């Protein structure tokens, strides 16, 4: 399955000259939500991810996703794995599990995101699951920004990756495009101006 082509066809992988929220510039921008606006595509991607996870023989009781980004991917993956789907959400800046969701002692939980950059949010949610007695057996995302090593990829773990090294991480593809400090951005040097993704309604 050509994951990058699927993202491009859905206008989820944009090419141009972008100013990221970090202030850095990039030639590419990944707008994950766009690839999920087609439920059929969302399920296709989730099924592929589920196949990779199933091949490992892991037992999974529940998929837990951090809201908002992970919700659709998490729900679609739970459907593909035929298990329970719950989510964590930020309340007053702190990740928490609400809405009557319960986690049993020793319940095997897979954490799911749409995209993993350094894995900060997903690990914040994972810690809450563990506090409630759950056991994190795997982490999954549709897309990997290339800072963390995933199963079946040669991309190495970078210093800022927050995922634990002893828990398997599954993703469909690595999106390892360069980011540049504005003063050393080759696109700026060519005279173009960086735009903020979202500033034109995307
Ligand atoms: Zn630039």
């Amino acid at each position: 399955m050509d994951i990058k082509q699927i993202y491009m066809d859905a206008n989820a992988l944009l090419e141009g000259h972008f100013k990221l929220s970090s202030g850095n510039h990039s030639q590419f921008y990944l707008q994950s939500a766009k690839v999920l606006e087609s439920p059929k595509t969302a399920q296709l991607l989730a099924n592929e991810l589920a196949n990779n996870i199933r091949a490992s023989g892991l037992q999974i009781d529940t998929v837990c996703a951090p809201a908002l980004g992970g919700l659709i991917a998490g729900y679609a993956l739970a459907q593909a794995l035929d298990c329970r789907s719950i989510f964590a959400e930020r309340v007053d800046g702190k990740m928490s599990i609400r809405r009557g969701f319960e986690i049993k002692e020793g319940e095997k939980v897979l954490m799911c995101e749409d995209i993993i950059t350094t894995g900060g949010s997903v690990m914040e949610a994972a810690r809450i699951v563990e506090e409630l007695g759950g056991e994190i057996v795997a982490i999954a995302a549709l897309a990997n920004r290339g800072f963390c090593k995933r199963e079946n990829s040669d991309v190495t773990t970078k210093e800022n990756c927050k995922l634990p090294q002893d828990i398997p991480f599954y993703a469909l593809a690595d999106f390892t495009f360069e980011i540049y400090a504005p003063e050393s951005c080759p696109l700026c040097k060519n005279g173009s101006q960086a735009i903020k993704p979202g500033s034109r309604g995307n």
Side-chain angles (χ1 to χ4, degrees):
M1 194 183 284
D2 189 343
I3 303 298
K4 279 175 195 163
Q5 193 61 51
I6 292 174
Y7 273 72
M8 285 201 293
D9 291 346
N11 289 323
L13 178 58
L14 309 175
E15 188 171 0
H17 182 190
F18 302 105
K19 185 177 180 178
L20 308 175
S21 51
S22 60
N24 292 320
H25 293 188
S26 174
Q27 189 179 356
F28 298 96
Y29 185 77
L30 206 56
Q31 184 62 277
S32 304
K34 281 292 286 176
V35 83
L36 300 171
E37 73 182 359
S38 155
K40 207 175 266 181
T41 305
Q43 209 54 57
L44 189 79
L45 295 171
N47 287 347
E48 179 77 5
L49 189 56
N51 286 342
N52 295 344
I53 295 164
R54 253 196 237 103
S56 69
L58 277 177
Q59 189 207 321
I60 294 153
D61 300 318
T62 297
V63 171
C64 179
L68 192 70
L71 280 186
I72 297 169
Y75 190 83
L77 183 62
Q79 178 156 330
L81 290 169
D82 191 22
C83 68
R84 194 163 76 103
S85 171
I86 63 171
F87 58 87
E89 60 199 296
R90 227 175 261 289
V91 181
D92 298 328
K94 196 183 169 303
M95 203 60 93
S96 47
I97 287 181
R98 314 174 76 200
R99 301 176 194 262
F101 291 142
E102 287 170 5
I103 293 173
K104 291 192 197 78
E105 192 65 39
E107 187 167 332
K108 298 192 184 315
V109 180
L110 176 144
M111 301 301 301
C112 182
E113 269 281 21
D114 54 348
I115 176 166
I116 295 260
T117 305
T118 62
S121 308
V122 82
M123 288 319 295
E124 208 183 321
R127 273 174 224 118
I128 304 303
V129 170
E130 285 176 329
E131 276 172 28
L132 295 170
E135 183 196 341
I136 308 300
V137 293
I139 294 153
L142 299 175
N144 177 31
R145 263 299 272 110
F147 295 101
C148 302
K149 177 168 172 37
R150 66 180 171 96
E151 299 291 311
N152 311 316
S153 167
D154 295 332
V155 168
T156 54
T157 296
K158 310 296 183 291
E159 207 173 282
N160 51 359
C161 173
K162 295 192 177 70
L163 302 187
Q165 298 305 296
D166 57 343
I167 296 178
F169 167 40
Y170 297 91
L172 293 172
D174 302 310
F175 290 84
T176 50
F177 35 81
E178 298 281 328
I179 54 170
Y180 311 105
E183 59 276 16
S184 56
C185 173
L187 303 162
C188 285
K189 286 202 177 94
N190 283 342
S192 85
Q193 192 151 17
I195 61 154
K196 223 170 136 184
S199 59
R200 291 194 305 194
N202 56 9

